[in-house]
Amino acid sequence: MKRLLSILLLSFSLLPLQSQLLWQVSGHGLAQPSYLFGTHHMILISFLDSVPGLFRAFNRCDAVVGEMVMNSIDASEKIMQASTLPQGITMDSLLNADDYAVVDAGLRAVLKIGLKELALMKPAVIRTMYETELYRQHTGFDDGTQSDSYFQQIAMQQGKEVIGLEDVDTQIALLFGNADQKREALLLVETVSHREEGLREIETLNALYKAGEIDRLVEMVKEQGDPLAMTPEEYDRMVDDRNLSWAEQLPDLMQARPCFIAVGAMHLGGAEGLVQLLRKEGYKVKPVAPHP
C-alpha cells in the first residue's frame, strides 16, 4: 500500500500545518512569485478549501505546471498497451497455486473480479486497481476528479497555460516499464495478504498529508523492512531523479511567468525535495501563511 500512496502523493509551528503543502517561491531574479503545491492523487477535492491561501495563489499565476498534461489524447491507449504482460507470460505463470488462490480471493472480495479476468494484466496494474478500490471503499474517496487534473481543468477554463514537466511516455515508463514481473507478482501477494495493515497505513499517510507533514511522509515511505517498500534504487528513479530534472526546468518557467506548480507531495519534502533544491538554487521558498 505504501508504494501506491507514495506514487500518488509526498514544521513551522506558528503556522497551520496545512500551510506546509503550499509554498511561495520568490527572489533570485523573479519579477513575480510562483507557488509550489503538494498534491495527493486520492484526496477529496473539498480538502483544498482548508488550505490557507491556496486559491489566492492559484489566481495570481498565469500558468499551471504539473507532472504531465492530464488531457493527453493518446494517453489512455498508451497506458492500456503498457499495462499488458509481455507475450507468453500470464499471472498463473508468475504465481504458485497457493498464492494464486490467495490473490484471486482477495481481488474478488474487493474488485468483484478475479485473476482469470485479469490474467493478461501486469501485476503492478492489478495491485494499483486493488489498492485504489480498497482505498475508495475505506475512505469514501470519489475518484472522479484528482487535485492535479482539477487545477489543470480550471486553468484551461480560465485561459491559463498548462505545462507538463514530463510527457506521457516518460510517466508510463516510470510506472510500467522494465519492471521485474516476478517481483511485482510477489508484491501483489503481499498487498492482498496484508489488507488490514494496508488500511492502517492509508489512515497514517492521509493524516500526514492533511497535516502538511511532507518530511515525515518521505521518511515513512523510505522506511526499509516493509516488504512493500520501494528499494533505494526505485525511490531514486521515482522521486529524487525526477526532482532533479524538474528543478532544472522550473527556473526558466518561473522566469517567463508566475507559475502554480502542482506535483505530488512526496516531491516537496526531504533533502532532495523541490523545496530544498530550489533553495539551493538561490530562491526564497517559504510556506504561505493565512491571509490576515
Side-chain angles (χ1 to χ4, degrees), residues 11 31 37 47 50-51 73 82 93 116-117 149 180 186 198-200 231 238 248 251-252 257 277-278:
S11 150
F37 178 64
F47 170 75
S50 70
V51 182
I73 297 174
S93 72
K116 181 178 180 180
E117 294 85 351
S149 56
D180 180 341
L186 294 176
L199 290 174
R200 287 194 291 271
T231 65
M238 289 294 298
E248 291 179 358
D252 286 343
R257 83 290 274 167
L277 290 177
L278 290 173

mmCIF file with all atom_site columns, all heavy atoms in Angstrom, residues 11 31 37 47 50-51 73 82 93 116-117 149 180 186 198-200 231 238 248 251-252 257 277-278:
data_model
loop_
_atom_site.group_PDB
_atom_site.id
_atom_site.type_symbol
_atom_site.label_atom_id
_atom_site.label_alt_id
_atom_site.label_comp_id
_atom_site.label_asym_id
_atom_site.label_entity_id
_atom_site.label_seq_id
_atom_site.pdbx_PDB_ins_code
_atom_site.Cartn_x
_atom_site.Cartn_y
_atom_site.Cartn_z
_atom_site.occupancy
_atom_site.B_iso_or_equiv
_atom_site.pdbx_formal_charge
_atom_site.auth_seq_id
_atom_site.auth_comp_id
_atom_site.auth_asym_id
_atom_site.auth_atom_id
_atom_site.pdbx_PDB_model_num
ATOM 1   N N   . SER A 1 11  ? 8.770   21.896  10.562  1.00 0.00 ? 11  SER A N   1
ATOM 2   C CA  . SER A 1 11  ? 7.470   22.436  10.924  1.00 0.00 ? 11  SER A CA  1
ATOM 3   C C   . SER A 1 11  ? 7.641   23.828  11.558  1.00 0.00 ? 11  SER A C   1
ATOM 4   O O   . SER A 1 11  ? 8.476   24.046  12.434  1.00 0.00 ? 11  SER A O   1
ATOM 5   C CB  . SER A 1 11  ? 6.807   21.469  11.891  1.00 0.00 ? 11  SER A CB  1
ATOM 6   O OG  . SER A 1 11  ? 5.973   22.047  12.783  1.00 0.00 ? 11  SER A OG  1
ATOM 7   N N   . ALA A 1 31  ? 10.425  38.312  -11.252 1.00 0.00 ? 31  ALA A N   1
ATOM 8   C CA  . ALA A 1 31  ? 9.653   39.552  -11.184 1.00 0.00 ? 31  ALA A CA  1
ATOM 9   C C   . ALA A 1 31  ? 8.432   39.375  -10.291 1.00 0.00 ? 31  ALA A C   1
ATOM 10  O O   . ALA A 1 31  ? 8.018   40.310  -9.591  1.00 0.00 ? 31  ALA A O   1
ATOM 11  C CB  . ALA A 1 31  ? 9.235   39.978  -12.595 1.00 0.00 ? 31  ALA A CB  1
ATOM 12  N N   . PHE A 1 37  ? 2.713   23.612  -4.819  1.00 0.00 ? 37  PHE A N   1
ATOM 13  C CA  . PHE A 1 37  ? 1.689   22.938  -4.008  1.00 0.00 ? 37  PHE A CA  1
ATOM 14  C C   . PHE A 1 37  ? 1.841   21.432  -4.129  1.00 0.00 ? 37  PHE A C   1
ATOM 15  O O   . PHE A 1 37  ? 1.967   20.894  -5.220  1.00 0.00 ? 37  PHE A O   1
ATOM 16  C CB  . PHE A 1 37  ? 0.285   23.351  -4.454  1.00 0.00 ? 37  PHE A CB  1
ATOM 17  C CG  . PHE A 1 37  ? -0.815  22.654  -3.683  1.00 0.00 ? 37  PHE A CG  1
ATOM 18  C CD1 . PHE A 1 37  ? -0.966  22.878  -2.325  1.00 0.00 ? 37  PHE A CD1 1
ATOM 19  C CD2 . PHE A 1 37  ? -1.679  21.768  -4.315  1.00 0.00 ? 37  PHE A CD2 1
ATOM 20  C CE1 . PHE A 1 37  ? -1.962  22.231  -1.599  1.00 0.00 ? 37  PHE A CE1 1
ATOM 21  C CE2 . PHE A 1 37  ? -2.675  21.123  -3.605  1.00 0.00 ? 37  PHE A CE2 1
ATOM 22  C CZ  . PHE A 1 37  ? -2.826  21.349  -2.239  1.00 0.00 ? 37  PHE A CZ  1
ATOM 23  N N   . PHE A 1 47  ? -11.035 19.043  0.341   1.00 0.00 ? 47  PHE A N   1
ATOM 24  C CA  . PHE A 1 47  ? -9.916  19.329  1.246   1.00 0.00 ? 47  PHE A CA  1
ATOM 25  C C   . PHE A 1 47  ? -9.185  20.601  0.839   1.00 0.00 ? 47  PHE A C   1
ATOM 26  O O   . PHE A 1 47  ? -8.633  21.317  1.679   1.00 0.00 ? 47  PHE A O   1
ATOM 27  C CB  . PHE A 1 47  ? -8.937  18.152  1.275   1.00 0.00 ? 47  PHE A CB  1
ATOM 28  C CG  . PHE A 1 47  ? -7.652  18.461  1.990   1.00 0.00 ? 47  PHE A CG  1
ATOM 29  C CD1 . PHE A 1 47  ? -7.609  18.522  3.372   1.00 0.00 ? 47  PHE A CD1 1
ATOM 30  C CD2 . PHE A 1 47  ? -6.482  18.727  1.282   1.00 0.00 ? 47  PHE A CD2 1
ATOM 31  C CE1 . PHE A 1 47  ? -6.433  18.835  4.036   1.00 0.00 ? 47  PHE A CE1 1
ATOM 32  C CE2 . PHE A 1 47  ? -5.304  19.040  1.930   1.00 0.00 ? 47  PHE A CE2 1
ATOM 33  C CZ  . PHE A 1 47  ? -5.272  19.090  3.316   1.00 0.00 ? 47  PHE A CZ  1
ATOM 34  N N   . SER A 1 50  ? -9.531  23.849  2.677   1.00 0.00 ? 50  SER A N   1
ATOM 35  C CA  . SER A 1 50  ? -8.952  24.020  4.012   1.00 0.00 ? 50  SER A CA  1
ATOM 36  C C   . SER A 1 50  ? -7.500  24.481  3.976   1.00 0.00 ? 50  SER A C   1
ATOM 37  O O   . SER A 1 50  ? -6.904  24.721  5.025   1.00 0.00 ? 50  SER A O   1
ATOM 38  C CB  . SER A 1 50  ? -9.047  22.703  4.800   1.00 0.00 ? 50  SER A CB  1
ATOM 39  O OG  . SER A 1 50  ? -8.160  21.733  4.262   1.00 0.00 ? 50  SER A OG  1
ATOM 40  N N   . VAL A 1 51  ? -6.920  24.597  2.791   1.00 0.00 ? 51  VAL A N   1
ATOM 41  C CA  . VAL A 1 51  ? -5.508  25.007  2.682   1.00 0.00 ? 51  VAL A CA  1
ATOM 42  C C   . VAL A 1 51  ? -5.448  26.526  2.570   1.00 0.00 ? 51  VAL A C   1
ATOM 43  O O   . VAL A 1 51  ? -5.846  27.099  1.548   1.00 0.00 ? 51  VAL A O   1
ATOM 44  C CB  . VAL A 1 51  ? -4.833  24.350  1.461   1.00 0.00 ? 51  VAL A CB  1
ATOM 45  C CG1 . VAL A 1 51  ? -3.362  24.757  1.398   1.00 0.00 ? 51  VAL A CG1 1
ATOM 46  C CG2 . VAL A 1 51  ? -4.948  22.829  1.541   1.00 0.00 ? 51  VAL A CG2 1
ATOM 47  N N   . ILE A 1 73  ? -4.520  13.164  -25.473 1.00 0.00 ? 73  ILE A N   1
ATOM 48  C CA  . ILE A 1 73  ? -5.484  12.348  -26.194 1.00 0.00 ? 73  ILE A CA  1
ATOM 49  C C   . ILE A 1 73  ? -5.064  10.888  -26.291 1.00 0.00 ? 73  ILE A C   1
ATOM 50  O O   . ILE A 1 73  ? -5.880  9.970   -26.154 1.00 0.00 ? 73  ILE A O   1
ATOM 51  C CB  . ILE A 1 73  ? -5.701  12.920  -27.610 1.00 0.00 ? 73  ILE A CB  1
ATOM 52  C CG1 . ILE A 1 73  ? -6.306  14.327  -27.509 1.00 0.00 ? 73  ILE A CG1 1
ATOM 53  C CG2 . ILE A 1 73  ? -6.600  12.010  -28.443 1.00 0.00 ? 73  ILE A CG2 1
ATOM 54  C CD1 . ILE A 1 73  ? -6.424  15.040  -28.838 1.00 0.00 ? 73  ILE A CD1 1
ATOM 55  N N   . ALA A 1 82  ? 0.749   -0.501  -22.287 1.00 0.00 ? 82  ALA A N   1
ATOM 56  C CA  . ALA A 1 82  ? 1.824   -0.710  -21.319 1.00 0.00 ? 82  ALA A CA  1
ATOM 57  C C   . ALA A 1 82  ? 1.378   -1.560  -20.138 1.00 0.00 ? 82  ALA A C   1
ATOM 58  O O   . ALA A 1 82  ? 2.215   -2.093  -19.403 1.00 0.00 ? 82  ALA A O   1
ATOM 59  C CB  . ALA A 1 82  ? 2.328   0.640   -20.814 1.00 0.00 ? 82  ALA A CB  1
ATOM 60  N N   . SER A 1 93  ? 1.457   -18.040 -14.509 1.00 0.00 ? 93  SER A N   1
ATOM 61  C CA  . SER A 1 93  ? 2.848   -18.446 -14.679 1.00 0.00 ? 93  SER A CA  1
ATOM 62  C C   . SER A 1 93  ? 3.775   -17.724 -13.706 1.00 0.00 ? 93  SER A C   1
ATOM 63  O O   . SER A 1 93  ? 4.920   -18.131 -13.523 1.00 0.00 ? 93  SER A O   1
ATOM 64  C CB  . SER A 1 93  ? 3.313   -18.194 -16.114 1.00 0.00 ? 93  SER A CB  1
ATOM 65  O OG  . SER A 1 93  ? 3.472   -16.805 -16.366 1.00 0.00 ? 93  SER A OG  1
ATOM 66  N N   . LYS A 1 116 ? -8.630  -14.645 -13.299 1.00 0.00 ? 116 LYS A N   1
ATOM 67  C CA  . LYS A 1 116 ? -8.987  -15.166 -14.618 1.00 0.00 ? 116 LYS A CA  1
ATOM 68  C C   . LYS A 1 116 ? -9.313  -14.026 -15.568 1.00 0.00 ? 116 LYS A C   1
ATOM 69  O O   . LYS A 1 116 ? -8.899  -14.015 -16.729 1.00 0.00 ? 116 LYS A O   1
ATOM 70  C CB  . LYS A 1 116 ? -10.171 -16.127 -14.515 1.00 0.00 ? 116 LYS A CB  1
ATOM 71  C CG  . LYS A 1 116 ? -10.580 -16.735 -15.848 1.00 0.00 ? 116 LYS A CG  1
ATOM 72  C CD  . LYS A 1 116 ? -11.737 -17.710 -15.672 1.00 0.00 ? 116 LYS A CD  1
ATOM 73  C CE  . LYS A 1 116 ? -12.146 -18.320 -17.012 1.00 0.00 ? 116 LYS A CE  1
ATOM 74  N NZ  . LYS A 1 116 ? -13.280 -19.284 -16.847 1.00 0.00 ? 116 LYS A NZ  1
ATOM 75  N N   . GLU A 1 117 ? -10.053 -13.048 -15.075 1.00 0.00 ? 117 GLU A N   1
ATOM 76  C CA  . GLU A 1 117 ? -10.440 -11.898 -15.899 1.00 0.00 ? 117 GLU A CA  1
ATOM 77  C C   . GLU A 1 117 ? -9.271  -10.933 -16.120 1.00 0.00 ? 117 GLU A C   1
ATOM 78  O O   . GLU A 1 117 ? -9.271  -10.159 -17.072 1.00 0.00 ? 117 GLU A O   1
ATOM 79  C CB  . GLU A 1 117 ? -11.600 -11.141 -15.244 1.00 0.00 ? 117 GLU A CB  1
ATOM 80  C CG  . GLU A 1 117 ? -12.914 -11.916 -15.177 1.00 0.00 ? 117 GLU A CG  1
ATOM 81  C CD  . GLU A 1 117 ? -13.020 -12.832 -13.977 1.00 0.00 ? 117 GLU A CD  1
ATOM 82  O OE1 . GLU A 1 117 ? -12.008 -13.013 -13.249 1.00 0.00 ? 117 GLU A OE1 1
ATOM 83  O OE2 . GLU A 1 117 ? -14.102 -13.378 -13.740 1.00 0.00 ? 117 GLU A OE2 1
ATOM 84  N N   . SER A 1 149 ? -5.531  17.097  -11.850 1.00 0.00 ? 149 SER A N   1
ATOM 85  C CA  . SER A 1 149 ? -6.343  17.400  -13.030 1.00 0.00 ? 149 SER A CA  1
ATOM 86  C C   . SER A 1 149 ? -7.313  18.542  -12.747 1.00 0.00 ? 149 SER A C   1
ATOM 87  O O   . SER A 1 149 ? -7.651  19.317  -13.646 1.00 0.00 ? 149 SER A O   1
ATOM 88  C CB  . SER A 1 149 ? -7.102  16.156  -13.494 1.00 0.00 ? 149 SER A CB  1
ATOM 89  O OG  . SER A 1 149 ? -7.906  15.622  -12.459 1.00 0.00 ? 149 SER A OG  1
ATOM 90  N N   . ASP A 1 180 ? 10.481  -6.009  -12.917 1.00 0.00 ? 180 ASP A N   1
ATOM 91  C CA  . ASP A 1 180 ? 10.618  -7.446  -12.741 1.00 0.00 ? 180 ASP A CA  1
ATOM 92  C C   . ASP A 1 180 ? 9.233   -7.993  -12.432 1.00 0.00 ? 180 ASP A C   1
ATOM 93  O O   . ASP A 1 180 ? 8.715   -7.807  -11.329 1.00 0.00 ? 180 ASP A O   1
ATOM 94  C CB  . ASP A 1 180 ? 11.594  -7.706  -11.597 1.00 0.00 ? 180 ASP A CB  1
ATOM 95  C CG  . ASP A 1 180 ? 11.818  -9.185  -11.329 1.00 0.00 ? 180 ASP A CG  1
ATOM 96  O OD1 . ASP A 1 180 ? 10.986  -10.012 -11.763 1.00 0.00 ? 180 ASP A OD1 1
ATOM 97  O OD2 . ASP A 1 180 ? 12.810  -9.515  -10.668 1.00 0.00 ? 180 ASP A OD2 1
ATOM 98  N N   . LEU A 1 186 ? 4.931   -10.967 -6.572  1.00 0.00 ? 186 LEU A N   1
ATOM 99  C CA  . LEU A 1 186 ? 5.070   -11.228 -5.142  1.00 0.00 ? 186 LEU A CA  1
ATOM 100 C C   . LEU A 1 186 ? 4.611   -10.034 -4.310  1.00 0.00 ? 186 LEU A C   1
ATOM 101 O O   . LEU A 1 186 ? 4.046   -10.203 -3.222  1.00 0.00 ? 186 LEU A O   1
ATOM 102 C CB  . LEU A 1 186 ? 6.525   -11.578 -4.833  1.00 0.00 ? 186 LEU A CB  1
ATOM 103 C CG  . LEU A 1 186 ? 7.032   -12.890 -5.446  1.00 0.00 ? 186 LEU A CG  1
ATOM 104 C CD1 . LEU A 1 186 ? 8.518   -13.090 -5.144  1.00 0.00 ? 186 LEU A CD1 1
ATOM 105 C CD2 . LEU A 1 186 ? 6.222   -14.076 -4.946  1.00 0.00 ? 186 LEU A CD2 1
ATOM 106 N N   . GLY A 1 198 ? -2.518  -2.528  5.388   1.00 0.00 ? 198 GLY A N   1
ATOM 107 C CA  . GLY A 1 198 ? -2.598  -1.514  4.346   1.00 0.00 ? 198 GLY A CA  1
ATOM 108 C C   . GLY A 1 198 ? -3.600  -0.427  4.671   1.00 0.00 ? 198 GLY A C   1
ATOM 109 O O   . GLY A 1 198 ? -3.358  0.760   4.429   1.00 0.00 ? 198 GLY A O   1
ATOM 110 N N   . LEU A 1 199 ? -4.737  -0.824  5.228   1.00 0.00 ? 199 LEU A N   1
ATOM 111 C CA  . LEU A 1 199 ? -5.751  0.161   5.594   1.00 0.00 ? 199 LEU A CA  1
ATOM 112 C C   . LEU A 1 199 ? -5.249  1.090   6.699   1.00 0.00 ? 199 LEU A C   1
ATOM 113 O O   . LEU A 1 199 ? -5.501  2.296   6.666   1.00 0.00 ? 199 LEU A O   1
ATOM 114 C CB  . LEU A 1 199 ? -7.028  -0.554  6.038   1.00 0.00 ? 199 LEU A CB  1
ATOM 115 C CG  . LEU A 1 199 ? -7.811  -1.261  4.928   1.00 0.00 ? 199 LEU A CG  1
ATOM 116 C CD1 . LEU A 1 199 ? -8.970  -2.056  5.511   1.00 0.00 ? 199 LEU A CD1 1
ATOM 117 C CD2 . LEU A 1 199 ? -8.318  -0.262  3.894   1.00 0.00 ? 199 LEU A CD2 1
ATOM 118 N N   . ARG A 1 200 ? -4.522  0.525   7.653   1.00 0.00 ? 200 ARG A N   1
ATOM 119 C CA  . ARG A 1 200 ? -3.966  1.374   8.719   1.00 0.00 ? 200 ARG A CA  1
ATOM 120 C C   . ARG A 1 200 ? -2.943  2.343   8.144   1.00 0.00 ? 200 ARG A C   1
ATOM 121 O O   . ARG A 1 200 ? -2.849  3.497   8.575   1.00 0.00 ? 200 ARG A O   1
ATOM 122 C CB  . ARG A 1 200 ? -3.347  0.505   9.813   1.00 0.00 ? 200 ARG A CB  1
ATOM 123 C CG  . ARG A 1 200 ? -4.367  -0.213  10.676  1.00 0.00 ? 200 ARG A CG  1
ATOM 124 C CD  . ARG A 1 200 ? -3.731  -0.771  11.933  1.00 0.00 ? 200 ARG A CD  1
ATOM 125 N NE  . ARG A 1 200 ? -2.819  -1.869  11.635  1.00 0.00 ? 200 ARG A NE  1
ATOM 126 C CZ  . ARG A 1 200 ? -3.178  -3.146  11.565  1.00 0.00 ? 200 ARG A CZ  1
ATOM 127 N NH1 . ARG A 1 200 ? -4.449  -3.493  11.741  1.00 0.00 ? 200 ARG A NH1 1
ATOM 128 N NH2 . ARG A 1 200 ? -2.286  -4.081  11.312  1.00 0.00 ? 200 ARG A NH2 1
ATOM 129 N N   . THR A 1 231 ? 12.640  -0.040  -3.024  1.00 0.00 ? 231 THR A N   1
ATOM 130 C CA  . THR A 1 231 ? 14.069  -0.140  -2.784  1.00 0.00 ? 231 THR A CA  1
ATOM 131 C C   . THR A 1 231 ? 14.676  1.254   -2.957  1.00 0.00 ? 231 THR A C   1
ATOM 132 O O   . THR A 1 231 ? 14.066  2.136   -3.575  1.00 0.00 ? 231 THR A O   1
ATOM 133 C CB  . THR A 1 231 ? 14.726  -1.098  -3.781  1.00 0.00 ? 231 THR A CB  1
ATOM 134 O OG1 . THR A 1 231 ? 14.606  -0.549  -5.110  1.00 0.00 ? 231 THR A OG1 1
ATOM 135 C CG2 . THR A 1 231 ? 14.068  -2.471  -3.732  1.00 0.00 ? 231 THR A CG2 1
ATOM 136 N N   . MET A 1 238 ? 11.862  6.982   -8.981  1.00 0.00 ? 238 MET A N   1
ATOM 137 C CA  . MET A 1 238 ? 10.503  7.509   -8.928  1.00 0.00 ? 238 MET A CA  1
ATOM 138 C C   . MET A 1 238 ? 10.432  8.930   -8.366  1.00 0.00 ? 238 MET A C   1
ATOM 139 O O   . MET A 1 238 ? 9.533   9.690   -8.724  1.00 0.00 ? 238 MET A O   1
ATOM 140 C CB  . MET A 1 238 ? 9.612   6.591   -8.075  1.00 0.00 ? 238 MET A CB  1
ATOM 141 C CG  . MET A 1 238 ? 9.294   5.256   -8.705  1.00 0.00 ? 238 MET A CG  1
ATOM 142 S SD  . MET A 1 238 ? 8.271   5.422   -10.185 1.00 0.00 ? 238 MET A SD  1
ATOM 143 C CE  . MET A 1 238 ? 6.801   6.173   -9.500  1.00 0.00 ? 238 MET A CE  1
ATOM 144 N N   . GLU A 1 248 ? 15.606  21.611  -12.652 1.00 0.00 ? 248 GLU A N   1
ATOM 145 C CA  . GLU A 1 248 ? 16.317  22.233  -13.764 1.00 0.00 ? 248 GLU A CA  1
ATOM 146 C C   . GLU A 1 248 ? 15.367  22.960  -14.703 1.00 0.00 ? 248 GLU A C   1
ATOM 147 O O   . GLU A 1 248 ? 15.737  23.979  -15.317 1.00 0.00 ? 248 GLU A O   1
ATOM 148 C CB  . GLU A 1 248 ? 17.092  21.170  -14.551 1.00 0.00 ? 248 GLU A CB  1
ATOM 149 C CG  . GLU A 1 248 ? 18.268  20.572  -13.789 1.00 0.00 ? 248 GLU A CG  1
ATOM 150 C CD  . GLU A 1 248 ? 18.997  19.507  -14.594 1.00 0.00 ? 248 GLU A CD  1
ATOM 151 O OE1 . GLU A 1 248 ? 18.543  19.221  -15.735 1.00 0.00 ? 248 GLU A OE1 1
ATOM 152 O OE2 . GLU A 1 248 ? 19.999  18.968  -14.104 1.00 0.00 ? 248 GLU A OE2 1
ATOM 153 N N   . PRO A 1 251 ? 13.203  26.941  -13.155 1.00 0.00 ? 251 PRO A N   1
ATOM 154 C CA  . PRO A 1 251 ? 13.653  28.334  -13.204 1.00 0.00 ? 251 PRO A CA  1
ATOM 155 C C   . PRO A 1 251 ? 13.233  29.076  -14.467 1.00 0.00 ? 251 PRO A C   1
ATOM 156 O O   . PRO A 1 251 ? 12.740  30.218  -14.394 1.00 0.00 ? 251 PRO A O   1
ATOM 157 C CB  . PRO A 1 251 ? 15.173  28.210  -13.099 1.00 0.00 ? 251 PRO A CB  1
ATOM 158 C CG  . PRO A 1 251 ? 15.375  26.978  -12.283 1.00 0.00 ? 251 PRO A CG  1
ATOM 159 C CD  . PRO A 1 251 ? 14.301  26.030  -12.750 1.00 0.00 ? 251 PRO A CD  1
ATOM 160 N N   . ASP A 1 252 ? 13.404  28.480  -15.635 1.00 0.00 ? 252 ASP A N   1
ATOM 161 C CA  . ASP A 1 252 ? 13.010  29.148  -16.877 1.00 0.00 ? 252 ASP A CA  1
ATOM 162 C C   . ASP A 1 252 ? 11.499  29.358  -16.933 1.00 0.00 ? 252 ASP A C   1
ATOM 163 O O   . ASP A 1 252 ? 11.027  30.410  -17.407 1.00 0.00 ? 252 ASP A O   1
ATOM 164 C CB  . ASP A 1 252 ? 13.454  28.330  -18.088 1.00 0.00 ? 252 ASP A CB  1
ATOM 165 C CG  . ASP A 1 252 ? 14.964  28.410  -18.321 1.00 0.00 ? 252 ASP A CG  1
ATOM 166 O OD1 . ASP A 1 252 ? 15.599  29.324  -17.763 1.00 0.00 ? 252 ASP A OD1 1
ATOM 167 O OD2 . ASP A 1 252 ? 15.492  27.551  -19.049 1.00 0.00 ? 252 ASP A OD2 1
ATOM 168 N N   . ARG A 1 257 ? 6.890   33.539  -16.472 1.00 0.00 ? 257 ARG A N   1
ATOM 169 C CA  . ARG A 1 257 ? 5.570   33.917  -15.971 1.00 0.00 ? 257 ARG A CA  1
ATOM 170 C C   . ARG A 1 257 ? 5.384   33.315  -14.579 1.00 0.00 ? 257 ARG A C   1
ATOM 171 O O   . ARG A 1 257 ? 6.032   32.315  -14.255 1.00 0.00 ? 257 ARG A O   1
ATOM 172 C CB  . ARG A 1 257 ? 4.451   33.465  -16.906 1.00 0.00 ? 257 ARG A CB  1
ATOM 173 C CG  . ARG A 1 257 ? 3.982   32.029  -16.764 1.00 0.00 ? 257 ARG A CG  1
ATOM 174 C CD  . ARG A 1 257 ? 4.963   30.998  -17.236 1.00 0.00 ? 257 ARG A CD  1
ATOM 175 N NE  . ARG A 1 257 ? 4.849   30.736  -18.664 1.00 0.00 ? 257 ARG A NE  1
ATOM 176 C CZ  . ARG A 1 257 ? 5.769   30.067  -19.318 1.00 0.00 ? 257 ARG A CZ  1
ATOM 177 N NH1 . ARG A 1 257 ? 6.856   29.611  -18.703 1.00 0.00 ? 257 ARG A NH1 1
ATOM 178 N NH2 . ARG A 1 257 ? 5.644   29.823  -20.613 1.00 0.00 ? 257 ARG A NH2 1
ATOM 179 N N   . LEU A 1 277 ? 15.761  21.881  -3.083  1.00 0.00 ? 277 LEU A N   1
ATOM 180 C CA  . LEU A 1 277 ? 16.506  22.063  -4.330  1.00 0.00 ? 277 LEU A CA  1
ATOM 181 C C   . LEU A 1 277 ? 16.387  23.500  -4.844  1.00 0.00 ? 277 LEU A C   1
ATOM 182 O O   . LEU A 1 277 ? 17.371  24.087  -5.317  1.00 0.00 ? 277 LEU A O   1
ATOM 183 C CB  . LEU A 1 277 ? 16.005  21.081  -5.389  1.00 0.00 ? 277 LEU A CB  1
ATOM 184 C CG  . LEU A 1 277 ? 16.354  19.604  -5.162  1.00 0.00 ? 277 LEU A CG  1
ATOM 185 C CD1 . LEU A 1 277 ? 15.717  18.745  -6.251  1.00 0.00 ? 277 LEU A CD1 1
ATOM 186 C CD2 . LEU A 1 277 ? 17.863  19.388  -5.118  1.00 0.00 ? 277 LEU A CD2 1
ATOM 187 N N   . LEU A 1 278 ? 15.195  24.067  -4.758  1.00 0.00 ? 278 LEU A N   1
ATOM 188 C CA  . LEU A 1 278 ? 15.014  25.446  -5.204  1.00 0.00 ? 278 LEU A CA  1
ATOM 189 C C   . LEU A 1 278 ? 15.740  26.423  -4.280  1.00 0.00 ? 278 LEU A C   1
ATOM 190 O O   . LEU A 1 278 ? 16.280  27.442  -4.737  1.00 0.00 ? 278 LEU A O   1
ATOM 191 C CB  . LEU A 1 278 ? 13.528  25.781  -5.292  1.00 0.00 ? 278 LEU A CB  1
ATOM 192 C CG  . LEU A 1 278 ? 12.771  25.088  -6.432  1.00 0.00 ? 278 LEU A CG  1
ATOM 193 C CD1 . LEU A 1 278 ? 11.273  25.339  -6.323  1.00 0.00 ? 278 LEU A CD1 1
ATOM 194 C CD2 . LEU A 1 278 ? 13.286  25.554  -7.794  1.00 0.00 ? 278 LEU A CD2 1
#
